[in-house]
PDB file of all heavy atoms in Angstrom:
ATOM      1  N   VAL A 198      -8.175 -21.803  13.471  1.00 93.00           N
ATOM      2  CA  VAL A 198      -9.458 -22.488  13.319  1.00 93.00           C
ATOM      3  C   VAL A 198     -10.532 -21.808  14.158  1.00 93.00           C
ATOM      4  O   VAL A 198     -11.661 -21.620  13.717  1.00 93.00           O
ATOM      5  CB  VAL A 198      -9.336 -23.968  13.707  1.00 93.00           C
ATOM      6  CG1 VAL A 198     -10.694 -24.637  13.768  1.00 93.00           C
ATOM      7  CG2 VAL A 198      -8.444 -24.713  12.704  1.00 93.00           C
ATOM      8  N   ILE A 199     -10.198 -21.431  15.376  1.00 94.00           N
ATOM      9  CA  ILE A 199     -11.133 -20.745  16.252  1.00 94.00           C
ATOM     10  C   ILE A 199     -11.547 -19.391  15.675  1.00 94.00           C
ATOM     11  O   ILE A 199     -12.732 -19.030  15.654  1.00 94.00           O
ATOM     12  CB  ILE A 199     -10.537 -20.561  17.663  1.00 94.00           C
ATOM     13  CG1 ILE A 199     -10.381 -21.936  18.356  1.00 94.00           C
ATOM     14  CG2 ILE A 199     -11.412 -19.641  18.523  1.00 94.00           C
ATOM     15  CD1 ILE A 199      -9.615 -21.863  19.665  1.00 94.00           C
ATOM     16  N   ILE A 200     -10.604 -18.638  15.149  1.00 94.00           N
ATOM     17  CA  ILE A 200     -10.893 -17.339  14.557  1.00 94.00           C
ATOM     18  C   ILE A 200     -11.837 -17.511  13.352  1.00 94.00           C
ATOM     19  O   ILE A 200     -12.809 -16.773  13.189  1.00 94.00           O
ATOM     20  CB  ILE A 200      -9.593 -16.621  14.132  1.00 94.00           C
ATOM     21  CG1 ILE A 200      -8.773 -16.258  15.363  1.00 94.00           C
ATOM     22  CG2 ILE A 200      -9.899 -15.356  13.320  1.00 94.00           C
ATOM     23  CD1 ILE A 200      -7.401 -15.672  15.041  1.00 94.00           C
ATOM     24  N   VAL A 201     -11.515 -18.474  12.492  1.00 94.00           N
ATOM     25  CA  VAL A 201     -12.348 -18.715  11.319  1.00 94.00           C
ATOM     26  C   VAL A 201     -13.772 -19.127  11.742  1.00 94.00           C
ATOM     27  O   VAL A 201     -14.763 -18.674  11.167  1.00 94.00           O
ATOM     28  CB  VAL A 201     -11.709 -19.795  10.423  1.00 94.00           C
ATOM     29  CG1 VAL A 201     -12.707 -20.282   9.356  1.00 94.00           C
ATOM     30  CG2 VAL A 201     -10.456 -19.251   9.756  1.00 94.00           C
ATOM     31  N   THR A 202     -13.854 -19.966  12.758  1.00 96.00           N
ATOM     32  CA  THR A 202     -15.165 -20.421  13.225  1.00 96.00           C
ATOM     33  C   THR A 202     -15.988 -19.250  13.754  1.00 96.00           C
ATOM     34  O   THR A 202     -17.190 -19.145  13.461  1.00 96.00           O
ATOM     35  CB  THR A 202     -15.001 -21.468  14.329  1.00 96.00           C
ATOM     36  OG1 THR A 202     -14.266 -22.578  13.826  1.00 96.00           O
ATOM     37  CG2 THR A 202     -16.363 -21.961  14.820  1.00 96.00           C
ATOM     38  N   ILE A 203     -15.365 -18.359  14.508  1.00 96.00           N
ATOM     39  CA  ILE A 203     -16.075 -17.179  15.046  1.00 96.00           C
ATOM     40  C   ILE A 203     -16.572 -16.305  13.909  1.00 96.00           C
ATOM     41  O   ILE A 203     -17.714 -15.832  13.910  1.00 96.00           O
ATOM     42  CB  ILE A 203     -15.168 -16.397  15.999  1.00 96.00           C
ATOM     43  CG1 ILE A 203     -14.887 -17.216  17.252  1.00 96.00           C
ATOM     44  CG2 ILE A 203     -15.783 -15.056  16.359  1.00 96.00           C
ATOM     45  CD1 ILE A 203     -13.879 -16.581  18.181  1.00 96.00           C
ATOM     46  N   VAL A 204     -15.698 -16.059  12.917  1.00 95.00           N
ATOM     47  CA  VAL A 204     -16.100 -15.233  11.758  1.00 95.00           C
ATOM     48  C   VAL A 204     -17.265 -15.854  11.033  1.00 95.00           C
ATOM     49  O   VAL A 204     -18.237 -15.173  10.662  1.00 95.00           O
ATOM     50  CB  VAL A 204     -14.905 -15.050  10.806  1.00 95.00           C
ATOM     51  CG1 VAL A 204     -15.360 -14.394   9.497  1.00 95.00           C
ATOM     52  CG2 VAL A 204     -13.816 -14.203  11.468  1.00 95.00           C
ATOM     53  N   GLN A 205     -17.224 -17.173  10.838  1.00 96.00           N
ATOM     54  CA  GLN A 205     -18.312 -17.861  10.112  1.00 96.00           C
ATOM     55  C   GLN A 205     -19.618 -17.774  10.907  1.00 96.00           C
ATOM     56  O   GLN A 205     -20.677 -17.536  10.328  1.00 96.00           O
ATOM     57  CB  GLN A 205     -17.928 -19.321   9.874  1.00 96.00           C
ATOM     58  CG  GLN A 205     -18.928 -20.081   9.003  1.00 96.00           C
ATOM     59  CD  GLN A 205     -18.991 -19.545   7.603  1.00 96.00           C
ATOM     60  OE1 GLN A 205     -18.009 -19.579   6.877  1.00 96.00           O
ATOM     61  NE2 GLN A 205     -20.157 -19.029   7.201  1.00 96.00           N
ATOM     62  N   LEU A 206     -19.541 -17.965  12.212  1.00 96.00           N
ATOM     63  CA  LEU A 206     -20.768 -17.892  13.039  1.00 96.00           C
ATOM     64  C   LEU A 206     -21.375 -16.492  12.992  1.00 96.00           C
ATOM     65  O   LEU A 206     -22.585 -16.337  12.878  1.00 96.00           O
ATOM     66  CB  LEU A 206     -20.434 -18.301  14.465  1.00 96.00           C
ATOM     67  CG  LEU A 206     -20.113 -19.777  14.702  1.00 96.00           C
ATOM     68  CD1 LEU A 206     -19.663 -20.016  16.136  1.00 96.00           C
ATOM     69  CD2 LEU A 206     -21.310 -20.648  14.361  1.00 96.00           C
ATOM     70  N   LEU A 207     -20.523 -15.455  13.104  1.00 95.00           N
ATOM     71  CA  LEU A 207     -21.007 -14.086  13.017  1.00 95.00           C
ATOM     72  C   LEU A 207     -21.616 -13.794  11.661  1.00 95.00           C
ATOM     73  O   LEU A 207     -22.646 -13.131  11.553  1.00 95.00           O
ATOM     74  CB  LEU A 207     -19.863 -13.095  13.324  1.00 95.00           C
ATOM     75  CG  LEU A 207     -19.352 -13.083  14.757  1.00 95.00           C
ATOM     76  CD1 LEU A 207     -18.144 -12.159  14.880  1.00 95.00           C
ATOM     77  CD2 LEU A 207     -20.443 -12.629  15.703  1.00 95.00           C
ATOM     78  N   GLY A 208     -20.976 -14.290  10.603  1.00 94.00           N
ATOM     79  CA  GLY A 208     -21.509 -14.086   9.264  1.00 94.00           C
ATOM     80  C   GLY A 208     -22.852 -14.754   9.076  1.00 94.00           C
ATOM     81  O   GLY A 208     -23.796 -14.183   8.512  1.00 94.00           O
ATOM     82  N   ASP A 209     -22.980 -16.000   9.547  1.00 94.00           N
ATOM     83  CA  ASP A 209     -24.246 -16.721   9.429  1.00 94.00           C
ATOM     84  C   ASP A 209     -25.334 -16.010  10.232  1.00 94.00           C
ATOM     85  O   ASP A 209     -26.492 -15.920   9.789  1.00 94.00           O
ATOM     86  CB  ASP A 209     -24.068 -18.151   9.974  1.00 94.00           C
ATOM     87  CG  ASP A 209     -23.187 -18.998   9.066  1.00 94.00           C
ATOM     88  OD1 ASP A 209     -22.974 -18.581   7.892  1.00 94.00           O
ATOM     89  OD2 ASP A 209     -22.702 -20.039   9.527  1.00 94.00           O
ATOM     90  N   TRP A 210     -24.976 -15.489  11.411  1.00 94.00           N
ATOM     91  CA  TRP A 210     -25.958 -14.755  12.206  1.00 94.00           C
ATOM     92  C   TRP A 210     -26.397 -13.491  11.470  1.00 94.00           C
ATOM     93  O   TRP A 210     -27.594 -13.182  11.458  1.00 94.00           O
ATOM     94  CB  TRP A 210     -25.336 -14.388  13.541  1.00 94.00           C
ATOM     95  CG  TRP A 210     -26.216 -13.488  14.358  1.00 94.00           C
ATOM     96  CD1 TRP A 210     -27.265 -13.862  15.166  1.00 94.00           C
ATOM     97  CD2 TRP A 210     -26.151 -12.049  14.431  1.00 94.00           C
ATOM     98  NE1 TRP A 210     -27.844 -12.750  15.733  1.00 94.00           N
ATOM     99  CE2 TRP A 210     -27.181 -11.625  15.304  1.00 94.00           C
ATOM    100  CE3 TRP A 210     -25.317 -11.105  13.865  1.00 94.00           C
ATOM    101  CZ2 TRP A 210     -27.398 -10.286  15.607  1.00 94.00           C
ATOM    102  CZ3 TRP A 210     -25.536  -9.760  14.149  1.00 94.00           C
ATOM    103  CH2 TRP A 210     -26.563  -9.367  15.015  1.00 94.00           C
ATOM    104  N   GLY A 211     -25.488 -12.806  10.832  1.00 92.00           N
ATOM    105  CA  GLY A 211     -25.844 -11.588  10.083  1.00 92.00           C
ATOM    106  C   GLY A 211     -26.780 -11.899   8.914  1.00 92.00           C
ATOM    107  O   GLY A 211     -27.735 -11.162   8.667  1.00 92.00           O
ATOM    108  N   VAL A 212     -26.487 -12.973   8.206  1.00 92.00           N
ATOM    109  CA  VAL A 212     -27.341 -13.358   7.080  1.00 92.00           C
ATOM    110  C   VAL A 212     -28.750 -13.683   7.554  1.00 92.00           C
ATOM    111  O   VAL A 212     -29.742 -13.241   6.970  1.00 92.00           O
ATOM    112  CB  VAL A 212     -26.733 -14.566   6.317  1.00 92.00           C
ATOM    113  CG1 VAL A 212     -27.709 -15.102   5.288  1.00 92.00           C
ATOM    114  CG2 VAL A 212     -25.430 -14.153   5.645  1.00 92.00           C
ATOM    115  N   ARG A 213     -28.855 -14.446   8.640  1.00 91.00           N
ATOM    116  CA  ARG A 213     -30.180 -14.817   9.157  1.00 91.00           C
ATOM    117  C   ARG A 213     -30.932 -13.573   9.655  1.00 91.00           C
ATOM    118  O   ARG A 213     -32.143 -13.447   9.440  1.00 91.00           O
ATOM    119  CB  ARG A 213     -30.040 -15.823  10.295  1.00 91.00           C
ATOM    120  CG  ARG A 213     -29.645 -17.229   9.831  1.00 91.00           C
ATOM    121  CD  ARG A 213     -29.845 -18.235  10.945  1.00 91.00           C
ATOM    122  NE  ARG A 213     -29.022 -17.910  12.105  1.00 91.00           N
ATOM    123  CZ  ARG A 213     -27.789 -18.378  12.308  1.00 91.00           C
ATOM    124  NH1 ARG A 213     -27.258 -19.182  11.415  1.00 91.00           N
ATOM    125  NH2 ARG A 213     -27.123 -18.056  13.400  1.00 91.00           N
ATOM    126  N   ALA A 214     -30.214 -12.657  10.314  1.00 90.00           N
ATOM    127  CA  ALA A 214     -30.859 -11.451  10.830  1.00 90.00           C
ATOM    128  C   ALA A 214     -31.429 -10.620   9.697  1.00 90.00           C
ATOM    129  O   ALA A 214     -32.560 -10.113   9.763  1.00 90.00           O
ATOM    130  CB  ALA A 214     -29.876 -10.652  11.658  1.00 90.00           C
ATOM    131  N   LEU A 215     -30.676 -10.463   8.617  1.00 87.00           N
ATOM    132  CA  LEU A 215     -31.123  -9.673   7.482  1.00 87.00           C
ATOM    133  C   LEU A 215     -32.291 -10.376   6.778  1.00 87.00           C
ATOM    134  O   LEU A 215     -33.242  -9.719   6.339  1.00 87.00           O
ATOM    135  CB  LEU A 215     -29.980  -9.453   6.496  1.00 87.00           C
ATOM    136  CG  LEU A 215     -28.870  -8.501   6.969  1.00 87.00           C
ATOM    137  CD1 LEU A 215     -27.693  -8.504   5.996  1.00 87.00           C
ATOM    138  CD2 LEU A 215     -29.423  -7.082   7.112  1.00 87.00           C
ATOM    139  N   ALA A 216     -32.227 -11.684   6.660  1.00 83.00           N
ATOM    140  CA  ALA A 216     -33.317 -12.411   6.012  1.00 83.00           C
ATOM    141  C   ALA A 216     -34.603 -12.314   6.823  1.00 83.00           C
ATOM    142  O   ALA A 216     -35.697 -12.166   6.281  1.00 83.00           O
ATOM    143  CB  ALA A 216     -32.919 -13.879   5.822  1.00 83.00           C
ATOM    144  N   ASN A 217     -34.479 -12.376   8.139  1.00 81.00           N
ATOM    145  CA  ASN A 217     -35.651 -12.282   9.014  1.00 81.00           C
ATOM    146  C   ASN A 217     -36.283 -10.899   8.978  1.00 81.00           C
ATOM    147  O   ASN A 217     -37.492 -10.765   9.202  1.00 81.00           O
ATOM    148  CB  ASN A 217     -35.264 -12.629  10.451  1.00 81.00           C
ATOM    149  CG  ASN A 217     -34.934 -14.094  10.625  1.00 81.00           C
ATOM    150  OD1 ASN A 217     -35.374 -14.925   9.823  1.00 81.00           O
ATOM    151  ND2 ASN A 217     -34.154 -14.412  11.629  1.00 81.00           N
ATOM    152  N   ARG A 218     -35.483  -9.864   8.686  1.00 74.00           N
ATOM    153  CA  ARG A 218     -36.025  -8.532   8.581  1.00 74.00           C
ATOM    154  C   ARG A 218     -36.681  -8.286   7.239  1.00 74.00           C
ATOM    155  O   ARG A 218     -37.212  -7.216   6.963  1.00 74.00           O
ATOM    156  CB  ARG A 218     -34.902  -7.510   8.784  1.00 74.00           C
ATOM    157  CG  ARG A 218     -34.385  -7.435  10.215  1.00 74.00           C
ATOM    158  CD  ARG A 218     -33.186  -6.536  10.325  1.00 74.00           C
ATOM    159  NE  ARG A 218     -33.469  -5.179   9.849  1.00 74.00           N
ATOM    160  CZ  ARG A 218     -32.561  -4.232   9.770  1.00 74.00           C
ATOM    161  NH1 ARG A 218     -31.305  -4.488  10.123  1.00 74.00           N
ATOM    162  NH2 ARG A 218     -32.868  -3.023   9.365  1.00 74.00           N
ATOM    163  N   GLY A 219     -36.631  -9.297   6.348  1.00 58.00           N
ATOM    164  CA  GLY A 219     -37.293  -9.158   5.077  1.00 58.00           C
ATOM    165  C   GLY A 219     -36.514  -8.409   4.017  1.00 58.00           C
ATOM    166  O   GLY A 219     -37.061  -8.041   2.981  1.00 58.00           O
ATOM    167  N   ARG A 220     -35.198  -8.192   4.274  1.00 45.00           N
ATOM    168  CA  ARG A 220     -34.434  -7.422   3.313  1.00 45.00           C
ATOM    169  C   ARG A 220     -33.987  -8.256   2.124  1.00 45.00           C
ATOM    170  O   ARG A 220     -33.496  -7.716   1.153  1.00 45.00           O
ATOM    171  CB  ARG A 220     -33.213  -6.825   4.009  1.00 45.00           C
ATOM    172  CG  ARG A 220     -33.587  -5.916   5.149  1.00 45.00           C
ATOM    173  CD  ARG A 220     -32.397  -5.203   5.725  1.00 45.00           C
ATOM    174  NE  ARG A 220     -31.901  -4.210   4.787  1.00 45.00           N
ATOM    175  CZ  ARG A 220     -30.970  -3.321   5.102  1.00 45.00           C
ATOM    176  NH1 ARG A 220     -30.486  -3.281   6.309  1.00 45.00           N
ATOM    177  NH2 ARG A 220     -30.560  -2.451   4.201  1.00 45.00           N
ATOM    178  N   GLY A 221     -34.172  -9.548   2.179  1.00 41.00           N
ATOM    179  CA  GLY A 221     -33.820 -10.380   1.060  1.00 41.00           C
ATOM    180  C   GLY A 221     -35.012 -11.023   0.423  1.00 41.00           C
ATOM    181  O   GLY A 221     -34.879 -11.992  -0.312  1.00 41.00           O
ATOM    182  N   GLY A 222     -36.201 -10.492   0.630  1.00 45.00           N
ATOM    183  CA  GLY A 222     -37.406 -11.130   0.162  1.00 45.00           C
ATOM    184  C   GLY A 222     -37.944 -10.615  -1.136  1.00 45.00           C
ATOM    185  O   GLY A 222     -39.075 -10.871  -1.506  1.00 45.00           O
ATOM    186  N   GLY A 223     -37.142  -9.858  -1.899  1.00 44.00           N
ATOM    187  CA  GLY A 223     -37.578  -9.392  -3.197  1.00 44.00           C
ATOM    188  C   GLY A 223     -38.537  -8.209  -3.119  1.00 44.00           C
ATOM    189  O   GLY A 223     -39.322  -7.963  -4.020  1.00 44.00           O
ATOM    190  N   ARG A 224     -38.520  -7.431  -2.027  1.00 50.00           N
ATOM    191  CA  ARG A 224     -39.433  -6.286  -1.891  1.00 50.00           C
ATOM    192  C   ARG A 224     -38.615  -5.045  -1.581  1.00 50.00           C
ATOM    193  O   ARG A 224     -37.626  -5.089  -0.863  1.00 50.00           O
ATOM    194  CB  ARG A 224     -40.413  -6.543  -0.746  1.00 50.00           C
ATOM    195  CG  ARG A 224     -41.330  -7.727  -0.991  1.00 50.00           C
ATOM    196  CD  ARG A 224     -42.180  -8.012   0.210  1.00 50.00           C
ATOM    197  NE  ARG A 224     -41.377  -8.332   1.398  1.00 50.00           N
ATOM    198  CZ  ARG A 224     -41.884  -8.547   2.592  1.00 50.00           C
ATOM    199  NH1 ARG A 224     -43.168  -8.445   2.783  1.00 50.00           N
ATOM    200  NH2 ARG A 224     -41.101  -8.841   3.603  1.00 50.00           N
ATOM    201  N   THR A 225     -39.044  -3.921  -2.049  1.00 42.00           N
ATOM    202  CA  THR A 225     -38.378  -2.662  -1.775  1.00 42.00           C
ATOM    203  C   THR A 225     -39.352  -1.534  -1.978  1.00 42.00           C
ATOM    204  O   THR A 225     -40.449  -1.714  -2.495  1.00 42.00           O
ATOM    205  CB  THR A 225     -37.141  -2.467  -2.669  1.00 42.00           C
ATOM    206  OG1 THR A 225     -36.416  -1.324  -2.221  1.00 42.00           O
ATOM    207  CG2 THR A 225     -37.528  -2.232  -4.115  1.00 42.00           C
ATOM    208  N   ARG A 226     -38.964  -0.323  -1.597  1.00 45.00           N
ATOM    209  CA  ARG A 226     -39.794   0.870  -1.738  1.00 45.00           C
ATOM    210  C   ARG A 226     -38.991   1.922  -2.494  1.00 45.00           C
ATOM    211  O   ARG A 226     -37.829   2.182  -2.156  1.00 45.00           O
ATOM    212  CB  ARG A 226     -40.187   1.419  -0.371  1.00 45.00           C
ATOM    213  CG  ARG A 226     -41.124   2.619  -0.450  1.00 45.00           C
ATOM    214  CD  ARG A 226     -41.223   3.286   0.909  1.00 45.00           C
ATOM    215  NE  ARG A 226     -41.736   2.386   1.902  1.00 45.00           N
ATOM    216  CZ  ARG A 226     -43.030   2.243   2.160  1.00 45.00           C
ATOM    217  NH1 ARG A 226     -43.930   2.911   1.480  1.00 45.00           N
ATOM    218  NH2 ARG A 226     -43.417   1.430   3.099  1.00 45.00           N
ATOM    219  N   LEU A 227     -39.569   2.509  -3.509  1.00 45.00           N
ATOM    220  CA  LEU A 227     -38.909   3.567  -4.232  1.00 45.00           C
ATOM    221  C   LEU A 227     -39.190   4.872  -3.503  1.00 45.00           C
ATOM    222  O   LEU A 227     -40.323   5.346  -3.493  1.00 45.00           O
ATOM    223  CB  LEU A 227     -39.414   3.621  -5.695  1.00 45.00           C
ATOM    224  CG  LEU A 227     -38.710   4.642  -6.589  1.00 45.00           C
ATOM    225  CD1 LEU A 227     -37.237   4.275  -6.727  1.00 45.00           C
ATOM    226  CD2 LEU A 227     -39.366   4.706  -7.970  1.00 45.00           C
ATOM    227  N   LEU A 228     -38.150   5.460  -2.916  1.00 41.00           N
ATOM    228  CA  LEU A 228     -38.333   6.618  -2.078  1.00 41.00           C
ATOM    229  C   LEU A 228     -38.271   7.941  -2.842  1.00 41.00           C
ATOM    230  O   LEU A 228     -38.666   8.963  -2.313  1.00 41.00           O
ATOM    231  CB  LEU A 228     -37.254   6.628  -0.973  1.00 41.00           C
ATOM    232  CG  LEU A 228     -37.298   5.416  -0.054  1.00 41.00           C
ATOM    233  CD1 LEU A 228     -36.202   5.528   0.988  1.00 41.00           C
ATOM    234  CD2 LEU A 228     -38.659   5.271   0.601  1.00 41.00           C
ATOM    235  N   GLY A 229     -37.783   7.905  -4.029  1.00 43.00           N
ATOM    236  CA  GLY A 229     -37.707   9.168  -4.781  1.00 43.00           C
ATOM    237  C   GLY A 229     -37.712   8.891  -6.271  1.00 43.00           C
ATOM    238  O   GLY A 229     -37.419   7.805  -6.734  1.00 43.00           O
ATOM    239  N   ARG A 230     -38.113   9.917  -7.063  1.00 41.00           N
ATOM    240  CA  ARG A 230     -38.109   9.781  -8.510  1.00 41.00           C
ATOM    241  C   ARG A 230     -36.813  10.280  -9.073  1.00 41.00           C
ATOM    242  O   ARG A 230     -35.969  10.819  -8.377  1.00 41.00           O
ATOM    243  CB  ARG A 230     -39.282  10.575  -9.089  1.00 41.00           C
ATOM    244  CG  ARG A 230     -40.651  10.061  -8.708  1.00 41.00           C
ATOM    245  CD  ARG A 230     -41.723  10.702  -9.607  1.00 41.00           C
ATOM    246  NE  ARG A 230     -43.063  10.257  -9.285  1.00 41.00           N
ATOM    247  CZ  ARG A 230     -43.885  10.905  -8.506  1.00 41.00           C
ATOM    248  NH1 ARG A 230     -43.507  12.037  -7.949  1.00 41.00           N
ATOM    249  NH2 ARG A 230     -45.088  10.439  -8.249  1.00 41.00           N
ATOM    250  N   ARG A 231     -36.648  10.167 -10.397  1.00 40.00           N
ATOM    251  CA  ARG A 231     -35.486  10.635 -11.080  1.00 40.00           C
ATOM    252  C   ARG A 231     -35.296  12.112 -10.792  1.00 40.00           C
ATOM    253  O   ARG A 231     -36.246  12.906 -10.811  1.00 40.00           O
ATOM    254  CB  ARG A 231     -35.654  10.428 -12.591  1.00 40.00           C
ATOM    255  CG  ARG A 231     -34.366  10.717 -13.370  1.00 40.00           C
ATOM    256  CD  ARG A 231     -34.671  10.663 -14.865  1.00 40.00           C
ATOM    257  NE  ARG A 231     -35.215   9.345 -15.226  1.00 40.00           N
ATOM    258  CZ  ARG A 231     -34.471   8.304 -15.543  1.00 40.00           C
ATOM    259  NH1 ARG A 231     -33.154   8.426 -15.545  1.00 40.00           N
ATOM    260  NH2 ARG A 231     -35.035   7.179 -15.867  1.00 40.00           N
ATOM    261  N   GLY A 232     -34.059  12.500 -10.531  1.00 41.00           N
ATOM    262  CA  GLY A 232     -33.749  13.891 -10.268  1.00 41.00           C
ATOM    263  C   GLY A 232     -33.891  14.289  -8.813  1.00 41.00           C
ATOM    264  O   GLY A 232     -33.715  15.433  -8.457  1.00 41.00           O
ATOM    265  N   GLY A 233     -34.276  13.310  -7.972  1.00 43.00           N
ATOM    266  CA  GLY A 233     -34.336  13.577  -6.539  1.00 43.00           C
ATOM    267  C   GLY A 233     -35.667  14.123  -6.074  1.00 43.00           C
ATOM    268  O   GLY A 233     -35.823  14.530  -4.918  1.00 43.00           O
TER     269      GLY A 233
END
Side-chain angles (χ1 to χ4, degrees):
V198 170
I199 292 172
I200 293 174
V201 168
T202 301
I203 292 174
V204 171
Q205 186 65 63
L206 290 174
L207 291 175
D209 292 343
W210 174 83
V212 172
R213 288 194 299 269
L215 290 172
N217 291 337
R218 289 173 58 184
R220 301 187 70 171
R224 297 175 298 177
T225 189
R226 184 193 299 272
L227 185 62
L228 300 180
R230 294 194 181 98
R231 188 188 302 273

